[in-house]
Amino acid sequence: MQYPSTRFSLNSSSTPSAKRTNFNSSNFSSLSINSNNGTYMPYYDTYPENTTISLELFQSLAIERLRILKTIEQVLAKLNTTLSVAPMNKKDEIEKLIRKELKDKLNHLKFIIFPSFTGASSMDLENDIISHYILRLAFCPSEEERRWFITNELELFRYRFQILTKAEQLSYLNDSSSNIKQFYELVADEEKQQHKECLIASTMIKGLTNAATIAKSFDSTTYFRVRFQHVPDLVRKRSCFLARGYAYVSDNDIISFVLQHFRMNISYQMTCSSKKYESFQQMDTRIESILKMLRKKRIHGTHTNIHAFNDNEQTETITYDMLNGLSKRSFPLCMRHLHEQMVQQHHLKHLGRLQYRLFLKGMGLSLDECMKFFRHEFVTNGSMNPAQFEREHVYNIRHAYGQEGKHTSYTPYSCMKIIQDPPPGVNEHHGCPYRHWDTQTLKQRLTNNYDINEETVNEIIDKTKNHHYQIACQIFFEYQHKVKNYGVGINHPNQYFNESRKLLTGATTNQNTANTSMTQNTPQI
């Protein structure tokens, strides 16, 4: 899309800040950056004030960064790991897969993922910082969006830090612009030798049991002294030596300290931004439409090779009388359970109705067909009289489709939202079965109600016990569709449905489906 010459300024009048720093475009070039490989990483603790960019660049930068975050999220989901727990060989695989997925898909932010890119400059650094703050602005309104943004920015930061050499990591820690130099001290050789046995023991506890190898590398290892509360994950895993309120952290584990400060910084500033978000909505309406588009694309996924839910991937017309059959073949367990309870009891409580109604909307059920389905179950098969249905449910159904109230077309719930929402109470059936059902109930229903074999049930139970709920859902998907290692990470109920229909019908994504007015005016992620 070609924008007019109007320009947007990320200045202090439109951006809340915990601390004001004169960080304008003229002094971006003064920040340190390795021009050979672009290894400098901003700490994002100052706002890019008085920096003027075009609306076209504003949108391009935001889309590229969202593409990076979504790709990292999907790669980690596919491999059932995170960068914090992945072994070194797995980290190499993650790095290669991320680069493969983003190859030829980046322009302004290429140097973030490809450190061998030789064009890194102060302009690239500026684009990096601005793109971060645009997404921070887009995802600050709700707690779920803030949590998603912070989690994936942390994974991106970890990825970038881990591909640095030890010398580059130490240089970063010594850089005053990272704002963390004041929170650690290098352990002197004399003190290091004094605690040698304890430091080696903490490494052995972590799992490196070859004492000879540890002792051999001890002299070349750099240790940092930090307050113990700054590395809670290392303390929890007993991966550091504690003395007099301080933790002694090796250069192999210092990323935990850096990330803890990075998380605290972003979390605080995101909270400040969320409190002032209403003032952002008075900005240029085109900017507000871009921010809404970004929030929508966070849920609907990206157009990389690893697909997520996209509401334009409908390949068949769905009517309410098809739901019984579709629920058995193509619904994820959470929605299949809601449908079964609706058909059995002819009623769902509020949160169940809301979760299921938006899922039906997302899978392509029209407003009229959705109305027919709920009227059929509540009135025709149930005990509700027509007047009560009109009074209590018609408005809510129309509201979900954007026909009432603010006329906002609400998006279906993602897996993460369903997992994090309040658990179901008595006679409630919403939520994620893998997260909210107890182990015995889940095992019994998988075996008796859905005829899952014992081996697969045990595999699903094992994943739920380790809190890998989406991986458990993927195992259920692969069993139901008789495929192995399908290669698509499940992160949305409607994505589950779409992938199921593709497998069962042999249909391909309808890329020519008419987009909404918002996506007509914005490039696809």
Side-chain angles (χ1 to χ4, degrees):
M1 175 182 178
Q2 295 296 321
Y3 286 102
S5 57
T6 305
R7 301 174 78 80
F8 174 71
S9 178
L10 286 167
N11 55 39
S12 58
S13 63
S14 61
T15 309
S17 176
K19 59 177 181 179
R20 298 293 184 185
T21 303
N22 186 18
F23 198 57
N24 56 40
S25 56
S26 64
N27 63 28
F28 270 112
S29 58
S30 67
L31 295 174
S32 61
I33 184 168
N34 186 327
S35 61
N36 293 323
N37 57 24
T39 55
Y40 182 83
M41 297 183 299
Y43 201 65
Y44 310 113
D45 57 348
T46 51
Y47 283 88
E49 299 178 358
N50 305 319
T51 300
T52 303
I53 62 173
S54 67
L55 278 168
E56 184 174 6
L57 180 59
F58 180 96
Q59 177 172 280
S60 297
L61 290 175
I63 287 175
E64 280 197 30
R65 194 173 193 97
L66 182 58
R67 180 181 289 126
I68 290 173
L69 297 185
K70 287 293 296 182
T71 299
I72 290 175
E73 178 190 39
Q74 292 163 3
V75 165
L76 294 177
K78 177 183 177 182
L79 297 178
N80 187 23
T81 188
T82 64
L83 285 167
S84 62
V85 300
M88 189 54 64
N89 60 340
K90 195 89 167 183
K91 291 176 183 177
D92 293 339
E93 181 183 358
I94 292 170
E95 182 180 329
K96 290 178 181 178
L97 189 51
I98 289 173
R99 293 182 182 181
K100 177 183 177 182
E101 292 298 325
L102 291 172
K103 185 180 179 181
D104 302 325
K105 294 183 175 72
L106 300 178
N107 180 19
H108 303 290
L109 303 179
K110 186 175 182 180
F111 87 105
I112 292 179
I113 299 299
F114 301 93
S116 59
F117 174 55
T118 59
S121 65
S122 59
M123 180 61 70
D124 293 302
L125 175 59
E126 180 178 353
N127 289 339
D128 182 4
I129 294 174
I130 291 175
S131 65
H132 170 88
Y133 278 96
I134 294 172
L135 291 195
R136 184 183 289 191
L137 183 64
F139 298 132
C140 72
S142 75
E143 182 180 353
E144 181 200 359
E145 290 165 344
R146 293 197 299 273
R147 187 184 296 111
W148 180 89
F149 175 74
I150 292 171
T151 298
N152 289 285
E153 277 287 340
L154 284 169
E155 292 291 358
L156 174 59
F157 190 93
R158 188 192 297 273
Y159 166 87
R160 298 174 72 180
F161 193 86
Q162 288 180 168
I163 62 178
L164 300 180
T165 65
K166 290 292 177 62
E168 288 169 338
Q169 290 178 359
L170 186 59
S171 176
Y172 179 79
L173 290 169
N174 287 328
D175 191 333
S176 58
S177 65
S178 68
N179 197 33
I180 58 177
K181 188 176 181 180
Q182 58 184 311
F183 296 107
Y184 76 87
E185 295 177 356
L186 285 174
V187 177
D189 289 340
E190 182 180 351
E191 186 180 3
K192 178 179 168 183
Q193 292 298 326
Q194 179 184 349
H195 299 300
K196 181 175 180 178
E197 293 184 3
C198 294
L199 293 173
I200 291 177
S202 68
T203 303
M204 294 178 67
I205 290 173
K206 189 173 64 175
L208 301 176
T209 56
N210 190 330
T213 303
I214 297 170
K216 186 177 180 179
S217 63
F218 177 77
D219 291 336
S220 61
T221 301
T222 302
Y223 283 89
F224 303 82
R225 184 171 57 245
V226 303
R227 297 296 300 182
F228 77 92
Q229 62 265 34
H230 292 169
V231 285
D233 56 332
L234 296 183
V235 174
R236 182 174 63 253
K237 294 185 294 184
R238 302 174 66 192
S239 296
C240 60
F241 168 58
L242 297 176
R244 302 182 186 90
Y246 287 92
Y248 288 74
V249 182
S250 73
D251 51 17
N252 293 319
D253 294 321
I254 195 62
I255 180 62
S256 297
F257 164 74
V258 178
L259 280 177
Q260 178 70 8
H261 277 270
F262 188 61
R263 179 194 297 274
M264 290 168 58
N265 171 52
I266 294 184
S267 298
Y268 174 74
Q269 294 195 37
M270 287 286 282
T271 302
C272 294
S273 297
S274 67
K275 294 178 180 178
K276 298 185 179 181
Y277 184 75
E278 289 185 5
S279 63
F280 298 152
Q281 296 177 308
Q282 300 175 7
M283 295 184 295
D284 191 314
T285 55
R286 291 168 296 178
I287 295 170
E288 179 61 20
S289 69
I290 293 174
L291 298 182
K292 288 181 179 178
M293 175 270 294
L294 294 171
R295 289 193 287 269
K296 182 177 180 182
K297 290 299 180 183
R298 178 190 73 83
I299 297 176
H300 290 187
T302 65
H303 289 266
T304 58
N305 291 333
I306 300 177
H307 292 290
F309 166 60
N310 186 317
D311 62 352
N312 292 325
E313 291 186 357
Q314 308 307 329
T315 58
E316 55 188 329
T317 301
I318 298 172
T319 57
Y320 87 94
D321 54 349
M322 298 167 59
L323 295 179
N324 284 335
L326 289 173
S327 69
K328 295 179 176 62
R329 296 189 298 270
S330 297
F331 281 20
L333 185 56
C334 56
M335 300 304 168
R336 182 171 178 178
H337 178 65
L338 283 171
H339 180 82
E340 290 169 348
Q341 294 303 313
M342 169 72 91
V343 172
Q344 292 172 14
Q345 301 180 20
H346 311 300
H347 184 75
L348 285 175
K349 290 197 172 183
H350 173 71
L351 293 179
R353 293 197 304 269
L354 186 57
Q355 181 177 319
Y356 189 48
R357 187 164 58 219
L358 291 175
F359 170 76
L360 295 177
K361 173 177 175 285
M363 63 181 267
L365 193 71
S366 69
L367 173 59
D368 288 342
E369 291 296 319
C370 186
M371 195 74 73
K372 288 179 183 178
F373 170 67
F374 278 90
R375 183 179 283 110
H376 178 77
E377 293 301 331
F378 283 12
V379 178
T380 306
N381 291 340
S383 58
M384 187 177 295
N385 63 63
Q388 184 183 0
F389 179 80
E390 291 289 331
R391 183 173 64 254
E392 297 181 2
H393 298 285
V394 169
Y395 177 89
N396 291 330
I397 296 172
R398 289 177 52 81
H399 187 271
Y401 280 77
Q403 301 302 309
E404 300 288 352
K406 295 181 179 180
H407 295 277
T408 299
S409 185
Y410 293 92
T411 54
Y413 290 170
S414 66
C415 291
M416 189 57 65
K417 176 170 175 56
I418 293 173
I419 289 169
Q420 293 170 348
D421 271 357
V426 178
N427 295 325
E428 290 185 319
H429 304 285
H430 63 276
C432 172
Y434 311 103
R435 167 67 176 86
H436 296 123
W437 292 358
D438 63 77
T439 301
Q440 190 60 36
T441 299
L442 178 61
K443 188 172 184 177
Q444 181 180 352
R445 290 180 179 176
L446 288 174
T447 303
N448 298 337
N449 298 6
Y450 305 113
D451 197 27
I452 309 295
N453 65 39
E454 184 178 358
E455 180 182 357
T456 304
V457 169
N458 290 336
E459 189 177 0
I460 290 174
I461 295 298
D462 180 63
K463 296 301 180 184
T464 60
K465 287 181 178 179
N466 290 292
H467 311 294
H468 299 309
Y469 309 117
Q470 290 167 252
I471 304 300
C473 187
Q474 181 148 347
I475 295 171
F476 183 83
F477 176 93
E478 292 176 353
Y479 181 84
Q480 292 289 80
H481 296 85
K482 295 178 173 57
V483 295
K484 292 295 290 182
N485 301 320
Y486 186 55
V488 177
I490 301 298
N491 53 42
H492 201 292
N494 291 93
Q495 175 212 3
Y496 183 110
F497 176 80
N498 287 344
E499 295 297 333
S500 172
R501 300 315 297 161
K502 290 177 191 177
L503 285 173
L504 295 178
T505 66
T508 57
T509 301
N510 181 8
Q511 299 290 355
N512 298 321
T513 304
N515 293 341
T516 63
S517 59
M518 182 181 298
T519 55
Q520 284 176 338
N521 296 326
T522 55
Q524 295 295 305
I525 296 177

